[in-house]
Amino acid sequence: MHHDLHQDIEEILIDEATLQRRIAELGADITRDYQGRRILLLGILKGAAMFLMDLARAIQLPLEIDFMAISSYGSATESSGVVRILKDLDEPIEGKDVLIVEDIIDSGLTLRYLLETLRSRKPASLRVCILLDKARERQHPLELDYVGFSIPNRFVVGYGLDYAQLYRNLPYIGVLKPEVYEGQ
Ligand code: IMP
Ligand code: MG
């Protein structure tokens, strides 16, 4: 198959250099805020995997990495808030300083569910680091501790984010041409 992924992109919202600059800043903020502590970076598969790996290298602290995979029921472009754990953490988080690393917050339903589930496991602290915050109204606003970028309410792909499992390997955040998913 010869398919140029870039051709399906309408507009680049955040280019590679801008992404990496901001991630370096987030890493510095986290390093300062957690000084003297050891943290657990909890990545949400698959979308946050690339972000987590770059963020981890920007943090100058002892840290552990673990992943969870969840699936939210819903259509391809809108989540329903009903979330299922596909892969749980390898280790208990009780007493640990946990920092959730997530790719994007849209309705916020996925994150709300995650926070509830993880709080019940009694971590010492639980905070959230989100790469992209979509500008839209939320029924229950969430407190986000670290935010990479605020973006318009459009469907984006790249740097870990997918449409139908593709486009994760684009090095930037881009808006998909509507005809790519309208044809489905
Ligand atoms: P929420 O539950 O509506 O906040 O949706 C969060 C999840 O939906 C994210 O973890 C992504 O997997 C997915 N998602 C939301 N918006 C986008 C987007 O613009 N592009 C790709 N995935 C998205
Ligand atoms: Mg996700």
Side-chain angles (χ1 to χ4, degrees), residues 52-84:
L52 183 143
M53 291 307 174
D54 285 338
L55 182 67
R57 282 178 284 205
I59 298 173
Q60 310 299 320
L61 294 170
L63 63 79
E64 293 176 65
I65 292 173
D66 206 345
F67 289 101
M68 243 173 135
I70 56 180
S71 87
S72 43
Y73 296 100
S75 65
T77 56
E78 187 67 40
S79 82
S80 67
V82 183
V83 175
R84 191 161 54 106

mmCIF file of all heavy atoms in Angstrom, residues 52-84:
data_model
loop_
_atom_site.group_PDB
_atom_site.id
_atom_site.type_symbol
_atom_site.label_atom_id
_atom_site.label_comp_id
_atom_site.label_asym_id
_atom_site.label_seq_id
_atom_site.Cartn_x
_atom_site.Cartn_y
_atom_site.Cartn_z
ATOM 1 N N LEU A 52 4.335 10.232 26.639
ATOM 2 C CA LEU A 52 4.950 9.785 27.894
ATOM 3 C C LEU A 52 6.450 9.565 27.725
ATOM 4 O O LEU A 52 7.241 9.949 28.589
ATOM 5 C CB LEU A 52 4.276 8.513 28.403
ATOM 6 C CG LEU A 52 4.811 8.029 29.764
ATOM 7 C CD1 LEU A 52 3.693 7.451 30.616
ATOM 8 C CD2 LEU A 52 5.920 6.997 29.599
ATOM 9 N N MET A 53 6.850 8.958 26.639
ATOM 10 C CA MET A 53 8.270 8.655 26.443
ATOM 11 C C MET A 53 9.094 9.930 26.315
ATOM 12 O O MET A 53 10.209 10.006 26.830
ATOM 13 C CB MET A 53 8.457 7.771 25.211
ATOM 14 C CG MET A 53 7.925 6.370 25.397
ATOM 15 S SD MET A 53 8.575 5.566 26.877
ATOM 16 C CE MET A 53 7.628 4.052 26.895
ATOM 17 N N ASP A 54 8.572 10.939 25.627
ATOM 18 C CA ASP A 54 9.293 12.211 25.527
ATOM 19 C C ASP A 54 9.260 12.960 26.857
ATOM 20 O O ASP A 54 10.257 13.541 27.284
ATOM 21 C CB ASP A 54 8.689 13.079 24.414
ATOM 22 C CG ASP A 54 9.096 12.575 23.030
ATOM 23 O OD1 ASP A 54 10.122 11.871 22.933
ATOM 24 O OD2 ASP A 54 8.389 12.890 22.058
ATOM 25 N N LEU A 55 8.103 12.927 27.531
ATOM 26 C CA LEU A 55 7.975 13.615 28.813
ATOM 27 C C LEU A 55 8.921 13.012 29.853
ATOM 28 O O LEU A 55 9.583 13.736 30.608
ATOM 29 C CB LEU A 55 6.516 13.535 29.308
ATOM 30 C CG LEU A 55 6.206 14.250 30.618
ATOM 31 C CD1 LEU A 55 6.337 15.774 30.449
ATOM 32 C CD2 LEU A 55 4.796 13.899 31.110
ATOM 33 N N ALA A 56 8.993 11.687 29.876
ATOM 34 C CA ALA A 56 9.851 11.012 30.864
ATOM 35 C C ALA A 56 11.297 11.482 30.736
ATOM 36 O O ALA A 56 11.991 11.690 31.731
ATOM 37 C CB ALA A 56 9.763 9.493 30.687
ATOM 38 N N ARG A 57 11.742 11.682 29.493
ATOM 39 C CA ARG A 57 13.126 12.119 29.272
ATOM 40 C C ARG A 57 13.341 13.575 29.654
ATOM 41 O O ARG A 57 14.472 14.021 29.786
ATOM 42 C CB ARG A 57 13.524 11.892 27.806
ATOM 43 C CG ARG A 57 13.855 10.435 27.544
ATOM 44 C CD ARG A 57 14.191 10.205 26.098
ATOM 45 N NE ARG A 57 12.967 10.196 25.285
ATOM 46 C CZ ARG A 57 12.863 9.574 24.124
ATOM 47 N NH1 ARG A 57 13.901 8.954 23.612
ATOM 48 N NH2 ARG A 57 11.726 9.588 23.448
ATOM 49 N N ALA A 58 12.249 14.308 29.829
ATOM 50 C CA ALA A 58 12.356 15.728 30.206
ATOM 51 C C ALA A 58 12.227 15.920 31.716
ATOM 52 O O ALA A 58 12.275 17.041 32.203
ATOM 53 C CB ALA A 58 11.278 16.543 29.477
ATOM 54 N N ILE A 59 12.024 14.821 32.457
ATOM 55 C CA ILE A 59 11.877 14.903 33.913
ATOM 56 C C ILE A 59 13.162 14.415 34.581
ATOM 57 O O ILE A 59 13.630 13.315 34.284
ATOM 58 C CB ILE A 59 10.671 14.057 34.386
ATOM 59 C CG1 ILE A 59 9.365 14.592 33.781
ATOM 60 C CG2 ILE A 59 10.574 14.047 35.913
ATOM 61 C CD1 ILE A 59 8.152 13.709 34.061
ATOM 62 N N GLN A 60 13.717 15.244 35.456
ATOM 63 C CA GLN A 60 14.969 14.877 36.130
ATOM 64 C C GLN A 60 14.674 14.399 37.547
ATOM 65 O O GLN A 60 15.024 15.051 38.520
ATOM 66 C CB GLN A 60 15.927 16.083 36.169
ATOM 67 C CG GLN A 60 16.136 16.771 34.823
ATOM 68 C CD GLN A 60 16.732 15.847 33.772
ATOM 69 O OE1 GLN A 60 17.617 15.049 34.064
ATOM 70 N NE2 GLN A 60 16.219 15.932 32.545
ATOM 71 N N LEU A 61 13.967 13.289 37.654
ATOM 72 C CA LEU A 61 13.606 12.705 38.955
ATOM 73 C C LEU A 61 13.640 11.194 38.801
ATOM 74 O O LEU A 61 13.469 10.691 37.691
ATOM 75 C CB LEU A 61 12.175 13.095 39.351
ATOM 76 C CG LEU A 61 11.818 14.542 39.651
ATOM 77 C CD1 LEU A 61 10.312 14.661 39.775
ATOM 78 C CD2 LEU A 61 12.503 15.016 40.924
ATOM 79 N N PRO A 62 13.802 10.478 39.926
ATOM 80 C CA PRO A 62 13.609 9.029 39.817
ATOM 81 C C PRO A 62 12.149 8.749 39.481
ATOM 82 O O PRO A 62 11.256 9.294 40.147
ATOM 83 C CB PRO A 62 13.955 8.498 41.214
ATOM 84 C CG PRO A 62 14.182 9.675 42.084
ATOM 85 C CD PRO A 62 14.096 10.925 41.290
ATOM 86 N N LEU A 63 11.906 7.973 38.467
ATOM 87 C CA LEU A 63 10.509 7.705 38.129
ATOM 88 C C LEU A 63 10.293 6.292 37.628
ATOM 89 O O LEU A 63 11.187 5.656 37.073
ATOM 90 C CB LEU A 63 9.958 8.729 37.134
ATOM 91 C CG LEU A 63 10.529 8.868 35.720
ATOM 92 C CD1 LEU A 63 10.017 7.800 34.778
ATOM 93 C CD2 LEU A 63 10.147 10.239 35.167
ATOM 94 N N GLU A 64 9.074 5.842 37.872
ATOM 95 C CA GLU A 64 8.632 4.558 37.346
ATOM 96 C C GLU A 64 7.632 4.830 36.226
ATOM 97 O O GLU A 64 6.989 5.876 36.217
ATOM 98 C CB GLU A 64 7.893 3.760 38.419
ATOM 99 C CG GLU A 64 8.735 3.283 39.582
ATOM 100 C CD GLU A 64 7.840 2.586 40.603
ATOM 101 O OE1 GLU A 64 7.270 1.531 40.284
ATOM 102 O OE2 GLU A 64 7.697 3.125 41.710
ATOM 103 N N ILE A 65 7.487 3.862 35.343
ATOM 104 C CA ILE A 65 6.520 3.981 34.247
ATOM 105 C C ILE A 65 5.611 2.766 34.265
ATOM 106 O O ILE A 65 6.069 1.639 34.420
ATOM 107 C CB ILE A 65 7.252 4.067 32.885
ATOM 108 C CG1 ILE A 65 8.032 5.389 32.773
ATOM 109 C CG2 ILE A 65 6.268 3.927 31.730
ATOM 110 C CD1 ILE A 65 8.916 5.469 31.536
ATOM 111 N N ASP A 66 4.328 3.029 34.153
ATOM 112 C CA ASP A 66 3.387 1.923 33.997
ATOM 113 C C ASP A 66 2.309 2.374 33.014
ATOM 114 O O ASP A 66 2.178 3.568 32.739
ATOM 115 C CB ASP A 66 2.773 1.534 35.352
ATOM 116 C CG ASP A 66 2.326 0.063 35.384
ATOM 117 O OD1 ASP A 66 2.219 -0.561 34.306
ATOM 118 O OD2 ASP A 66 2.073 -0.448 36.495
ATOM 119 N N PHE A 67 1.585 1.412 32.475
ATOM 120 C CA PHE A 67 0.561 1.738 31.481
ATOM 121 C C PHE A 67 -0.750 1.059 31.813
ATOM 122 O O PHE A 67 -0.785 -0.015 32.399
ATOM 123 C CB PHE A 67 0.989 1.272 30.085
ATOM 124 C CG PHE A 67 2.101 2.065 29.487
ATOM 125 C CD1 PHE A 67 3.402 1.574 29.507
ATOM 126 C CD2 PHE A 67 1.861 3.296 28.899
ATOM 127 C CE1 PHE A 67 4.437 2.302 28.938
ATOM 128 C CE2 PHE A 67 2.896 4.033 28.339
ATOM 129 C CZ PHE A 67 4.180 3.538 28.358
ATOM 130 N N MET A 68 -1.809 1.710 31.386
ATOM 131 C CA MET A 68 -3.134 1.129 31.449
ATOM 132 C C MET A 68 -3.734 1.251 30.059
ATOM 133 O O MET A 68 -3.471 2.241 29.366
ATOM 134 C CB MET A 68 -4.009 1.970 32.391
ATOM 135 C CG MET A 68 -4.506 1.260 33.601
ATOM 136 S SD MET A 68 -5.332 2.451 34.654
ATOM 137 C CE MET A 68 -6.747 1.497 35.031
ATOM 138 N N ALA A 69 -4.488 0.276 29.654
ATOM 139 C CA ALA A 69 -5.220 0.407 28.389
ATOM 140 C C ALA A 69 -6.702 0.382 28.701
ATOM 141 O O ALA A 69 -7.171 -0.481 29.446
ATOM 142 C CB ALA A 69 -4.857 -0.728 27.442
ATOM 143 N N ILE A 70 -7.410 1.345 28.171
ATOM 144 C CA ILE A 70 -8.850 1.376 28.390
ATOM 145 C C ILE A 70 -9.537 1.583 27.054
ATOM 146 O O ILE A 70 -8.934 2.075 26.106
ATOM 147 C CB ILE A 70 -9.254 2.521 29.351
ATOM 148 C CG1 ILE A 70 -8.746 3.863 28.836
ATOM 149 C CG2 ILE A 70 -8.709 2.271 30.746
ATOM 150 C CD1 ILE A 70 -9.101 5.011 29.739
ATOM 151 N N SER A 71 -10.772 1.179 26.997
ATOM 152 C CA SER A 71 -11.519 1.471 25.780
ATOM 153 C C SER A 71 -12.801 2.158 26.196
ATOM 154 O O SER A 71 -13.457 1.758 27.144
ATOM 155 C CB SER A 71 -11.826 0.199 25.000
ATOM 156 O OG SER A 71 -13.024 -0.378 25.461
ATOM 157 N N SER A 72 -13.098 3.240 25.499
ATOM 158 C CA SER A 72 -14.373 3.898 25.799
ATOM 159 C C SER A 72 -15.325 3.560 24.670
ATOM 160 O O SER A 72 -14.999 3.687 23.502
ATOM 161 C CB SER A 72 -14.193 5.406 25.952
ATOM 162 O OG SER A 72 -13.361 5.903 24.953
ATOM 163 N N TYR A 73 -16.470 3.117 25.046
ATOM 164 C CA TYR A 73 -17.484 2.802 24.046
ATOM 165 C C TYR A 73 -17.964 4.094 23.413
ATOM 166 O O TYR A 73 -18.010 5.127 24.048
ATOM 167 C CB TYR A 73 -18.670 2.086 24.700
ATOM 168 C CG TYR A 73 -18.304 0.762 25.270
ATOM 169 C CD1 TYR A 73 -18.059 0.609 26.623
ATOM 170 C CD2 TYR A 73 -18.189 -0.341 24.436
ATOM 171 C CE1 TYR A 73 -17.713 -0.608 27.152
ATOM 172 C CE2 TYR A 73 -17.840 -1.572 24.955
ATOM 173 C CZ TYR A 73 -17.609 -1.703 26.312
ATOM 174 O OH TYR A 73 -17.269 -2.910 26.826
ATOM 175 N N GLY A 74 -18.320 4.016 22.156
ATOM 176 C CA GLY A 74 -18.821 5.199 21.467
ATOM 177 C C GLY A 74 -18.483 5.086 20.005
ATOM 178 O O GLY A 74 -17.961 4.079 19.549
ATOM 179 N N SER A 75 -18.774 6.148 19.267
ATOM 180 C CA SER A 75 -18.458 6.132 17.843
ATOM 181 C C SER A 75 -16.966 6.394 17.689
ATOM 182 O O SER A 75 -16.253 6.618 18.652
ATOM 183 C CB SER A 75 -19.259 7.210 17.119
ATOM 184 O OG SER A 75 -18.852 8.470 17.561
ATOM 185 N N ALA A 76 -16.496 6.414 16.460
ATOM 186 C CA ALA A 76 -15.059 6.587 16.216
ATOM 187 C C ALA A 76 -14.555 7.934 16.710
ATOM 188 O O ALA A 76 -13.416 8.071 17.098
ATOM 189 C CB ALA A 76 -14.765 6.436 14.728
ATOM 190 N N THR A 77 -15.405 8.956 16.689
ATOM 191 C CA THR A 77 -14.915 10.292 17.016
ATOM 192 C C THR A 77 -15.553 10.886 18.275
ATOM 193 O O THR A 77 -15.279 12.012 18.636
ATOM 194 C CB THR A 77 -15.159 11.269 15.844
ATOM 195 O OG1 THR A 77 -16.542 11.261 15.514
ATOM 196 C CG2 THR A 77 -14.347 10.871 14.625
ATOM 197 N N GLU A 78 -16.405 10.157 18.972
ATOM 198 C CA GLU A 78 -17.040 10.708 20.174
ATOM 199 C C GLU A 78 -17.147 9.609 21.231
ATOM 200 O O GLU A 78 -17.685 8.545 20.969
ATOM 201 C CB GLU A 78 -18.429 11.250 19.800
ATOM 202 C CG GLU A 78 -19.164 12.003 20.901
ATOM 203 C CD GLU A 78 -18.514 13.320 21.296
ATOM 204 O OE1 GLU A 78 -18.043 14.046 20.389
ATOM 205 O OE2 GLU A 78 -18.476 13.619 22.501
ATOM 206 N N SER A 79 -16.610 9.866 22.446
ATOM 207 C CA SER A 79 -16.666 8.832 23.475
ATOM 208 C C SER A 79 -17.955 8.930 24.270
ATOM 209 O O SER A 79 -18.608 9.957 24.305
ATOM 210 C CB SER A 79 -15.445 8.901 24.395
ATOM 211 O OG SER A 79 -15.623 9.882 25.377
ATOM 212 N N SER A 80 -18.324 7.822 24.912
ATOM 213 C CA SER A 80 -19.615 7.760 25.592
ATOM 214 C C SER A 80 -19.497 7.883 27.101
ATOM 215 O O SER A 80 -20.480 8.100 27.791
ATOM 216 C CB SER A 80 -20.292 6.429 25.273
ATOM 217 O OG SER A 80 -19.539 5.377 25.867
ATOM 218 N N GLY A 81 -18.268 7.721 27.632
ATOM 219 C CA GLY A 81 -18.106 7.782 29.077
ATOM 220 C C GLY A 81 -18.182 6.419 29.735
ATOM 221 O O GLY A 81 -17.891 6.277 30.908
ATOM 222 N N VAL A 82 -18.594 5.422 28.966
ATOM 223 C CA VAL A 82 -18.570 4.059 29.485
ATOM 224 C C VAL A 82 -17.210 3.469 29.136
ATOM 225 O O VAL A 82 -16.864 3.342 27.974
ATOM 226 C CB VAL A 82 -19.693 3.195 28.882
ATOM 227 C CG1 VAL A 82 -19.682 1.811 29.500
ATOM 228 C CG2 VAL A 82 -21.029 3.870 29.096
ATOM 229 N N VAL A 83 -16.443 3.176 30.181
ATOM 230 C CA VAL A 83 -15.043 2.833 29.976
ATOM 231 C C VAL A 83 -14.773 1.427 30.499
ATOM 232 O O VAL A 83 -15.297 1.019 31.525
ATOM 233 C CB VAL A 83 -14.140 3.853 30.722
ATOM 234 C CG1 VAL A 83 -12.683 3.451 30.620
ATOM 235 C CG2 VAL A 83 -14.351 5.246 30.145
ATOM 236 N N ARG A 84 -13.972 0.708 29.758
ATOM 237 C CA ARG A 84 -13.622 -0.659 30.158
ATOM 238 C C ARG A 84 -12.106 -0.744 30.257
ATOM 239 O O ARG A 84 -11.401 -0.237 29.394
ATOM 240 C CB ARG A 84 -14.139 -1.622 29.092
ATOM 241 C CG ARG A 84 -14.105 -3.073 29.467
ATOM 242 C CD ARG A 84 -15.055 -3.849 28.561
ATOM 243 N NE ARG A 84 -14.751 -3.592 27.146
ATOM 244 C CZ ARG A 84 -14.139 -4.479 26.352
ATOM 245 N NH1 ARG A 84 -13.784 -5.651 26.818
ATOM 246 N NH2 ARG A 84 -13.894 -4.190 25.088
#
